[in-house]
Amino acid sequence: MDEHQPVPLTKPAAAPPTAVPAVPADAIRASDADRDRVADILREALAEGRLTAEEHAERIGGVYEAKTRGELAPFVRDLPTAGAAAVPAGARAARPASASTPTLPPPRNSLSDNLIAVFGGAGRRGRWRVGRRTNAFALFGGVEIDLTEAVFEQQEIVIQATAIFGGVEIRVPENVTLRSAGTGIFGGFDVADTEAEDPAAPVVVVSGFAVFGGVEAKPKRGKRVRNLNA
C-alpha cells in the first residue's frame, strides 16, 4: 500500500435544523378585536341576566387588561356563546379541543361598530358611515355618538347603549325617527321618541340599559338628513 496515497475527504453531515417550538394558542398576544369580541359576549350576558352588574364590571375591566388570548378565555368560559358551539365545525375536526386551548367568540359583523369607554371617553362625530348596528359601552366613562352629519346607508340602525357608572349621549338629525327600546336600572334611559314625517327617513332605535349611569338620545335642532344615501 502506497503510504503517499491521498486519503479521500468526506463532507460531514449537516446538522438537522433546529425546530422552532410552536407558540401555544393561549400564549398568542390578544388583539383589540379579540378584546372587543369578548366584551360583546359579556354585554349580552349582562343583558340576559347571566351576570350581575358587579360581575360584569369586574370582568370587563380584566378583559381590557388582558395581554394574551389565554387571559381572555376565563372571562367567557362559563357563558354559553364561549363554548364549542362558537367554533366552526371544520376547525373542531382539524384541531381537537383541549382544556388548554381557549375558544374565543366568532368575529363581529362588519356592519357593526363598537365604541367603548372604560375610565375614559370614546365617540363618533362628523361625516361617517353608520353601520347597521353600533355598540356603545361606558364604564366609568362617556361615549358620544353624533349622527347629525353621518351617512345613513340603511333604513334602520340600532344603537345598543350600555352605561354603568357612565354615560352615553346620542344626537340625531331632527328629521329621522327616533325610538327607545331600553331601560334604566338605578339610572336614566332618556330617549326622545319622535316619528319623522317622511316614511323613507332613517329609523334610529336605541336599546340597552343604564345601571347607575345614563343614556340620552334626542334630535339636534337645525340638523337634517338631506338624502338617505347622501
Side-chain angles (χ1 to χ4, degrees), residues 137-184:
F137 177 79
L139 174 66
F140 292 102
V143 175
E144 179 184 354
I145 301 175
D146 190 339
L147 301 173
T148 57
E149 297 180 16
V151 178
F152 291 84
E153 296 184 319
Q154 287 85 30
Q155 176 74 31
E156 179 176 303
I157 68 169
V158 175
I159 298 177
Q160 175 73 23
T162 303
I164 302 175
F165 294 99
V168 177
E169 181 179 339
I170 303 164
R171 295 292 178 264
V172 303
E174 62 178 356
N175 62 334
V176 306
T177 294
L178 180 61
R179 296 173 182 164
S180 174
T183 186

Side-chain angles (χ1 to χ4, degrees), residues 1-7:
M1 181 177 180
D2 189 354
E3 296 181 356
H4 300 287
Q5 184 177 358
V7 178

Side-chain angles (χ1 to χ4, degrees), residues 44-52:
E44 292 297 329
L46 178 60
E48 294 170 355
R50 300 182 189 276
L51 297 176
T52 65

Side-chain angles (χ1 to χ4, degrees), residues 103-208:
T103 301
L104 296 178
R108 60 190 177 190
N109 193 310
S110 60
L111 294 178
S112 68
D113 192 12
N114 293 315
L115 297 172
I116 299 173
V118 179
F119 292 97
R124 294 297 298 269
R125 60 185 64 85
R127 190 165 179 81
W128 58 289
R129 296 184 181 276
V130 186
R132 190 179 306 278
R133 180 184 179 91
T134 299
N135 300 312
F137 177 79
L139 174 66
F140 292 102
V143 175
E144 179 184 354
I145 301 175
D146 190 339
L147 301 173
T148 57
E149 297 180 16
V151 178
F152 291 84
E153 296 184 319
Q154 287 85 30
Q155 176 74 31
E156 179 176 303
I157 68 169
V158 175
I159 298 177
Q160 175 73 23
T162 303
I164 302 175
F165 294 99
V168 177
E169 181 179 339
I170 303 164
R171 295 292 178 264
V172 303
E174 62 178 356
N175 62 334
V176 306
T177 294
L178 180 61
R179 296 173 182 164
S180 174
T183 186
I185 306 172
F186 296 105
F189 203 94
D190 184 13
V191 177
D193 289 87
T194 57
E195 289 292 328
E197 297 180 358
D198 186 352
V203 177
V204 179
V205 179
V206 182
S207 62

